[in-house]
Amino acid sequence: MFNIIERLIKKNNILIVIILLPISVFAQQGTYVEVRDLETWNSIGVRLNIEDNWEFGLNEELRLKANSSSVSNYLTDLDINYIGWKNFELGAGFRFLRNNDTEGNIQGYENHSRYHLELTYKHKITRFKFDYRLRFQRKNELGVSEEEGDFPNRYLRLKLGIEYNIKNWKLDPKFSAEIFRHYEEGEQNGFNKIRWTIGTDYKLKKIGAFKLFYRMERELNVSYPKTTNIIGFSYVYTFKIKKDEK
C-alpha cells in the first residue's frame, strides 16, 4: 500500500493520497516502531463578521504534550478572511508562539512567529458540505538569524473537509484530512505529516459556539514515525455587523 501512496505523491494526486493514507497506516501499523503521545489543545477566541464578506479573528490557545503532562506551547492567532467570490475565500493570518523546547540542546521557552496565506473553496451536495483549502505558511524563531542556524520553516498544506447536516440535529459531524509538505534549508524535505480530524460544534444563540474534536497526526517518511493523538476543545464568540447597523 505504501508503494501505491508513493506513486500517487509523485503524480501529485494529493486528494487521493489524503483519502487512502489512513488505510495504509492502520494496515501496516504493526511493521513500524512508533512513538506515541497524547496532547490536549484548548482555545478561546472572538470573531467579527462584517457584511458577510469580511471576517476577523483573535484566538488564544494552550497546548499540552507528553501525555498532556507539560506545556507544549501557548499561542496567539490573528487572522482575516475575505469572502468576495462565490464559493471562494482568501485568508491570511499571523501567529505568535511561546514554544517549550524539551528536546533541543538548549531547553526552555522559545519565541516563534508564523504567518500564513490560504485559498479555500466550498460547495454543497445535498446534505454534505465540502471545503478544500490550500495554505502556505512560514515560521521563524525570533531573535535567531540564519547565520545562527535559524532557516525559515515553510509548509504547503492541502486540506479536505466534509460536514454532514443531520435533519433536526445540532451536532453535525465534521471530518477533515490534511497533508503537509515541508521546505527548509538543511533539513529533509517533502511530505512529512498527515492529520485527520473528526469533531462537532454546538452553537448557542447570544452565547457562542463550542467545538470538540479528536485529531490524529502521523509523521511520514521517517524510520520511527510519531503518532500524536489530540483532544481539543474551543469556544468562540462571534460579533456580526450588518449594513443596516452602520
Side-chain angles (χ1 to χ4, degrees), residues 16-221:
I16 300 176
V17 170
I18 290 176
I19 296 171
L20 290 181
L21 196 50
I23 302 173
S24 173
V25 168
F26 290 111
Q28 302 197 26
Q29 193 171 29
T31 64
Y32 290 84
V33 178
E34 293 191 78
V35 179
R36 292 183 174 273
D37 195 11
L38 173 64
E39 297 186 1
T40 54
W41 297 2
N42 298 290
S43 67
I44 184 170
V46 292
R47 304 201 74 78
L48 174 63
N49 293 346
I50 302 177
E51 298 182 2
D52 296 325
N53 292 113
W54 291 95
E55 185 177 72
F56 301 86
L58 171 64
N59 187 70
E60 295 287 340
E61 185 168 341
L62 173 66
R63 298 180 178 181
L64 303 178
K65 63 180 180 179
N67 291 321
S68 302
S69 64
S70 67
V71 174
S72 174
N73 55 59
Y74 53 91
L75 55 93
T76 300
D77 274 324
L78 292 168
D79 63 81
I80 179 173
N81 291 281
Y82 177 66
I83 311 168
W85 303 280
K86 185 177 180 180
N87 297 337
F88 283 96
E89 295 181 15
L90 283 176
F94 174 81
R95 171 176 290 182
F96 172 76
L97 303 96
R98 286 278 288 166
N99 185 51
N100 184 17
D101 185 359
T102 57
E103 299 178 356
N105 294 327
I106 302 177
Q107 299 185 8
Y109 281 94
E110 303 168 345
N111 295 325
H112 292 254
S113 67
R114 194 194 84 179
Y115 72 81
H116 73 259
L117 302 170
E118 64 186 32
L119 176 66
T120 303
Y121 176 76
K122 299 180 178 181
H123 69 100
K124 296 180 180 179
I125 300 178
T126 61
R127 291 187 173 273
F128 288 94
K129 296 180 181 178
F130 296 88
D131 63 88
Y132 315 89
R133 188 187 73 188
L134 177 64
R135 171 182 285 187
F136 168 79
Q137 69 181 41
R138 185 181 188 273
K139 179 181 174 184
N140 272 98
E141 183 178 354
L142 297 176
V144 182
S145 65
E146 291 188 8
E147 290 75 17
E148 296 172 304
D150 179 46
F151 295 101
N153 186 341
R154 299 181 294 268
Y155 275 97
L156 275 179
R157 300 166 52 174
L158 182 61
K159 179 181 178 182
L160 165 66
I162 303 172
E163 179 181 355
Y164 183 71
N165 176 251
I166 301 175
K167 189 175 182 180
N168 299 323
W169 181 253
K170 293 186 177 182
L171 300 174
D172 292 337
K174 299 180 179 181
F175 170 80
S176 67
E178 186 171 15
I179 193 165
F180 294 66
R181 197 185 197 290
H182 182 245
Y183 303 86
E184 185 177 358
E185 185 174 338
E187 298 291 335
Q188 182 177 351
N189 293 309
F191 293 98
N192 70 346
K193 183 169 65 175
I194 192 164
R195 170 187 290 177
W196 305 280
T197 305
I198 186 169
T200 189
D201 57 33
Y202 186 77
K203 297 177 181 178
L204 291 173
K205 190 175 181 180
K206 297 183 179 181
I207 294 179
F210 300 87
K211 180 180 179 180
L212 181 66
F213 66 85
Y214 165 75
R215 174 171 292 158
M216 186 176 74
E217 293 184 349
R218 183 179 172 86
E219 293 181 326
L220 303 175
N221 299 317

